[in-house]
């Protein structure tokens, strides 16, 4: 018999950015560590079909799943915590919901009825909320509702949660995350914003079962009692989420308050099996007690907004912990790098990572960063646009094609070493039309990459339109920039290296999306290892 599916709904109140994604991921981790099969999905109340068309300034990184969905960066946390892939079904936006309903209306599927937010939009939200539970893979599905309770656009979602709670009864738990601010002037934690936020949720018909309070100071018995009394929440179900030293500590902080036990009890599930977190705890221990440090420059154009490079940042953290090393990331704005000043910014770093990106702004700075890393033997890691910058730099400064470029940046370059793929040439729509998701990559036998991965055929995730131009493959290889990873289906170059350099790897894909706490990505661990070597020399 298929297992019963249980649902946990996570809402947020008072302000955004309280870390719903981290709380959801941490609770999921605890439940998974007790042997439950868990997944997390996120519902985002904006009208974009997906965040793929959103500027990183708007929404941070766009995270890409194996099946090629462009999703919210919280899905990255879900994968990094649970070590399980997510998919398109794990991220739904209001845009997607409306598009589906409107398409149905155009087909005549509603048989002449008036199509309305209630019930048609809410029904579609409910259908999507239950979708992942249909194939028997999961016993517990955590649904994070983006935004804040009280937002106009969140209303249909809260209504869907209300209806599902009514329909599913004890198989549902509602968790509400709020802020309990500390007023320094009076030295007090204030509960009123939380009371108001819960009241708003109650007005929408949803009584939270669990309160999680973000606070700078421990709540203490009195504050917890007050919150329990005024919010109709059992005292043992009021939890605190204090600022942690690292997000990876949060599962343990929640476990120490027995949150997973309370949740399981409310769902009528057994909590006999203790959470198995040894590997996780050893990672956190190494992370918090590093024995060494490396300085790695991250060259990008959104560096003032670190969320734009979330997965790279986390992959470096995972890799650092693997070596008991703290990775001190120096965020370097690519627009600031010039041929004159690049060396002064970069020489002395133990590694240079040139980040993914789009468009001409700051691209010349990325190319300069490659040049310095290549000329000075600094470990270099180029990801996507960073790899393309490496190819261009080599074509310019080693092959002597001074005007080599990507046709994305200079459509008329006489040396288009990076060019639009044939199948991209007629694409005019921006949304969801890049090369997206997992592709195979065949590594050259006995290459450094083969050794690093420990296997010959790998699968990595993509998100780009432009490609290494095979017309220049031989020239570049003869000059020392070797292709060592090829897509076996379409013969595209996915990885280039300079064998004579201590560590110089450019990858057309995004390895950062696959790095998790339990399985740091081999390219990142190797890069950090090379940086450690560099720091000692
Ligand atoms: N702009 C480049 C392309 O579209 C690289 C994209 C990226 O770095 N994700 O090919």
């Amino acid at each position: 018999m298929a297992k019963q599916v249980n649902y946990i709904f996570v809402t947020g109140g008072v302000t955004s950015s309280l870390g719903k994604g981290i709380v959801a991921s941490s609770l999921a981790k605890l439940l998974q560590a007790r042997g439950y099969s868990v997944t997390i999905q996120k519902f985002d109340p904006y009208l974009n079909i997906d965040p793929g068309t959103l500027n990183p300034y708007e929404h941070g990184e766009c995270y890409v799943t194996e099946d090629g969905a462009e999703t919210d960066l919280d899905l990255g946390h879900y994968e990094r915590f649970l070590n399980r892939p997510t998919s398109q079904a794990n991220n739904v936006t209001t845009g997607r919901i409306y598009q589906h309903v409107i398409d149905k209306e155009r087909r005549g599927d509603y048989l002449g009825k008036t199509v309305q937010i209630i019930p048609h939009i809410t029904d579609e939200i409910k259908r999507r909320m239950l979708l992942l539970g249909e194939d028997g893979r999961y016993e517990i599905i955590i649904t994070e509702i983006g935004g804040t309770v009280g937002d106009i656009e969140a209303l249909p979602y809260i209504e869907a949660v209300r209806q599902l709670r009514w329909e599913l009864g004890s198989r549902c738990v509602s968790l509400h995350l709020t802020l309990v601010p500390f007023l320094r002037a009076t030295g007090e934690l204030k509960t009123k914003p939380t009371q108001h936020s819960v009241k708003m949720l109650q007005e929408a018909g949803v009584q939270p079962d669990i309160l999680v309070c973000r606070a700078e100071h421990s709540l203490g018995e009195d504050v917890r009692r007050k919150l329990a009394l005024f919010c109709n929440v059992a005292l043992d179900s009021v939890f605190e989420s204090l600022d942690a030293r690292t997000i990876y500590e949060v599962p343990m902080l929640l476990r120490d308050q027995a949150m997973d036990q309370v949740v399981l009890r409310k769902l009528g599930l057994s909590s006999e099996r203790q959470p198995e977190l040894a590997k996780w705890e050893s990672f956190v221990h190494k992370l918090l007690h590093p024995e060494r440090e490396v300085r790695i420059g991250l060259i990008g154009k959104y560096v003032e907004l670190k969320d734009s490079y979330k997965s790279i940042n986390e992959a470096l953290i995972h890799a650092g912990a693997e070596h008991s090393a703290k990775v001190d990331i120096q965020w370097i704005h690519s627009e600031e790098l010039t041929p004159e000043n690049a060396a002064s910014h970069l020489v002395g770093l133990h590694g240079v990572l040139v980040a993914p990106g789009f468009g001409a702004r700051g691209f010349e700075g990325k190319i300069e960063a490659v040049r310095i890393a290549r000329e000075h033997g600094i470990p270099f890691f180029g990801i996507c646009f960073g790899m393309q910058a490496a190819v261009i730099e080599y074509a310019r400064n080693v092959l002597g094609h001074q005007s080599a470029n990507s046709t994305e940046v200079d459509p008329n370059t006489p040396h288009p070493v990076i060019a639009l793929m044939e199948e991209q040439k007629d694409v005019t729509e921006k949304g969801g039309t890049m090369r997206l998701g997992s592709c195979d990559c065949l590594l050259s036998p006995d290459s450094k990459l083969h050794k690093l991965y420990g296997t010959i055929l790998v699968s990595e995730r993509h998100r780009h339109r432009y490609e290494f131009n095979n017309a220049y493959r031989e020239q570049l290889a003869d000059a020392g920039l070797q292709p060592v990873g090829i897509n076996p289906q379409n013969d595209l170059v996915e990885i280039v290296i300079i064998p004579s350099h201590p560590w110089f790897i450019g990858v057309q894909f995004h390895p950062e999306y696959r790095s998790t706490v339990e399985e740091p990505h081999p390219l990142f661990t190797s890069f950090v290892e090379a940086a450690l070597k560099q720091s000692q020399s």
Side-chain angles (χ1 to χ4, degrees):
M1 203 183 77
K3 291 176 200 151
Q4 277 248 0
V5 189
N6 300 276
Y7 294 88
I8 300 170
F9 294 100
V10 179
T11 52
V14 184
T15 82
S16 57
S17 306
L18 291 181
K20 272 196 306 266
I22 301 299
V23 168
S25 301
S26 300
L27 174 59
K29 184 76 222 168
L30 292 177
L31 298 170
Q32 183 194 54
R34 285 178 183 268
Y36 288 100
S37 50
V38 191
T39 191
I40 319 177
Q41 55 184 348
K42 175 144 195 212
F43 282 68
D44 276 312
Y46 51 72
L47 284 170
N48 302 66
I49 298 293
D50 60 45
T53 53
L54 286 170
N55 187 315
Y57 291 120
E58 291 281 318
H59 206 65
E61 169 185 276
C62 172
Y63 185 79
V64 179
T65 56
E66 277 180 357
D67 64 345
E70 297 179 281
T71 70
D72 185 77
L73 60 77
D74 272 329
L75 272 80
H77 291 307
Y78 306 164
E79 290 203 14
R80 289 187 281 274
F81 275 61
L82 295 181
N83 198 27
R84 297 268 187 288
T86 55
S87 68
Q88 177 64 73
N90 293 73
N91 193 197
V92 177
T93 66
T94 296
R96 211 169 267 278
I97 302 274
Y98 271 78
Q99 189 181 50
H100 183 88
V101 170
I102 291 168
D103 285 350
K104 264 175 90 172
E105 185 274 335
R106 290 290 82 183
R107 281 200 308 268
D109 290 1
Y110 293 108
L111 303 175
K113 292 264 181 246
T114 309
V115 181
Q116 292 174 299
I117 293 182
I118 316 263
H120 302 101
I121 293 296
T122 45
D123 278 353
E124 178 57 14
I125 294 175
K126 278 161 63 184
R127 188 183 73 80
R128 302 253 184 177
M129 282 177 169
L130 299 177
L131 213 55
L132 280 171
E134 279 173 2
D135 59 10
R137 265 183 304 167
Y138 304 110
E139 294 163 284
I140 302 174
I141 294 178
I142 301 184
T143 302
E144 178 188 346
I145 312 287
T148 309
V149 168
D151 296 348
I152 291 175
E153 58 260 47
L155 278 173
Y157 292 96
I158 306 297
E159 169 60 10
V161 171
R162 186 196 67 75
Q163 292 184 17
L164 283 176
R165 278 173 56 93
W166 174 249
E167 287 164 6
L168 299 169
S170 61
R171 287 158 56 199
C172 269
V173 158
S174 153
L175 182 157
H176 190 55
L177 175 67
T178 72
L179 177 72
V180 175
F182 180 74
L183 280 199
R184 213 169 313 148
T186 54
E188 275 177 311
L189 286 164
K190 304 306 280 184
T191 63
K192 200 58 67 78
T194 296
Q195 293 179 44
H196 282 299
S197 166
V198 170
K199 198 152 282 169
M200 208 133 45
L201 201 54
Q202 288 166 338
E203 274 167 22
V206 176
Q207 168 61 51
D209 302 296
I210 290 174
L211 269 188
V212 183
C213 305
R214 266 307 286 274
E216 280 175 47
H217 297 275
S218 193
L219 297 186
E221 187 72 6
D222 284 353
V223 172
R224 286 182 52 234
R225 274 189 193 286
K226 196 165 163 189
L227 284 167
L229 180 66
F230 291 129
C231 299
N232 287 2
V233 174
L235 184 61
D236 72 355
S237 306
V238 180
F239 299 94
E240 63 187 20
S241 172
L242 302 177
D243 296 341
R245 292 172 288 180
T246 152
I247 54 169
Y248 298 111
E249 206 182 13
V250 178
M252 275 101 88
L253 298 177
L254 299 182
R255 176 199 58 192
D256 295 346
Q257 302 173 69
M259 184 198 270
D260 48 337
Q261 263 168 304
V262 171
V263 168
L264 289 170
R265 192 188 68 222
K266 287 185 194 285
L267 290 171
L269 297 173
S270 159
S271 58
E272 239 163 77
R273 187 163 151 190
Q274 290 308 305
E276 176 57 68
L277 283 169
K279 214 171 160 189
W280 187 276
E281 283 180 293
S282 131
F283 159 78
V284 173
H285 181 83
K286 282 197 275 182
L287 183 60
L288 293 175
H289 304 94
E291 289 156 16
R292 315 173 266 181
E293 184 167 327
V294 278
R295 242 177 318 137
I296 288 178
L298 193 150
I299 302 25
K301 70 172 168 185
Y302 304 111
V303 289
E304 59 279 37
L305 196 80
K306 313 230 169 356
D307 268 2
S308 311
Y309 304 107
K310 192 90 209 159
S311 294
I312 292 178
N313 188 36
E314 300 306 313
L316 286 170
I317 290 175
H318 305 156
E322 187 81 356
H323 294 290
S324 296
K326 175 178 161 42
V327 178
D328 173 15
I329 302 179
Q330 310 270 308
W331 302 85
I332 298 172
H333 206 302
S334 55
E335 272 182 297
E336 277 163 22
L337 295 180
T338 63
E340 295 72 38
N341 72 15
S344 69
H345 276 94
L346 302 175
V347 174
L349 291 174
H350 308 134
V352 166
L353 191 156
V354 176
F358 294 85
R361 182 168 70 87
F363 191 52
E364 285 300 318
K366 286 186 171 174
I367 295 173
E368 276 313 304
V370 179
R371 181 178 66 81
I372 299 298
R374 182 178 60 77
E375 289 178 349
H376 290 78
I378 306 169
F380 167 82
F381 197 4
I383 298 180
C384 208
F385 216 17
M387 172 268 206
Q388 297 178 355
V391 174
I392 293 163
E393 194 278 329
Y394 215 82
R396 286 186 189 175
N397 300 326
V398 180
L399 288 182
H401 300 322
Q402 275 320 317
S403 50
N405 216 326
S406 162
T407 53
E408 174 178 6
V409 177
D410 177 5
N412 302 317
T413 169
H415 290 291
V417 289
I418 303 292
L420 205 55
M421 286 178 280
E422 216 34 61
E423 66 261 34
Q424 283 284 342
K425 288 195 171 144
D426 299 320
V427 172
T428 50
E429 298 255 315
K430 288 276 182 270
T433 54
M434 283 187 252
R435 181 177 170 208
L436 288 166
S438 285
C439 297
D440 285 344
C441 173
L442 193 61
L443 307 173
S444 305
D446 304 319
S447 67
K448 178 195 191 102
L449 269 291
H450 182 194
K451 282 191 208 91
L452 276 181
Y453 274 102
T455 168
I456 196 96
L457 186 68
V458 296
S459 172
E460 294 279 7
R461 301 181 202 176
H462 291 250
R463 182 175 188 248
H464 56 104
R465 285 182 211 285
Y466 297 81
E467 294 287 351
F468 183 106
N469 183 347
N470 274 332
Y472 290 87
R473 188 147 140 191
E474 225 179 276
Q475 259 186 74
L476 284 161
D478 288 347
L481 185 74
Q482 269 184 20
V484 290
I486 305 290
N487 183 314
Q489 276 90 37
N490 53 22
D491 196 38
L492 289 171
V493 172
E494 313 283 37
I495 309 177
V496 292
I497 65 169
I498 301 178
S500 58
H501 185 282
W503 205 100
F504 189 105
I505 298 182
V507 293
Q508 183 57 80
F509 47 78
H510 292 263
E512 69 275 20
Y513 295 143
R514 278 212 307 129
S515 181
T516 69
V517 166
E518 273 145 64
E519 286 178 71
H521 195 286
L523 288 180
F524 279 90
T525 45
S526 171
F527 177 53
V528 169
E529 192 184 350
L532 277 163
K533 256 191 222 132
Q534 179 80 6
S535 75
Q536 282 145 16
S537 66

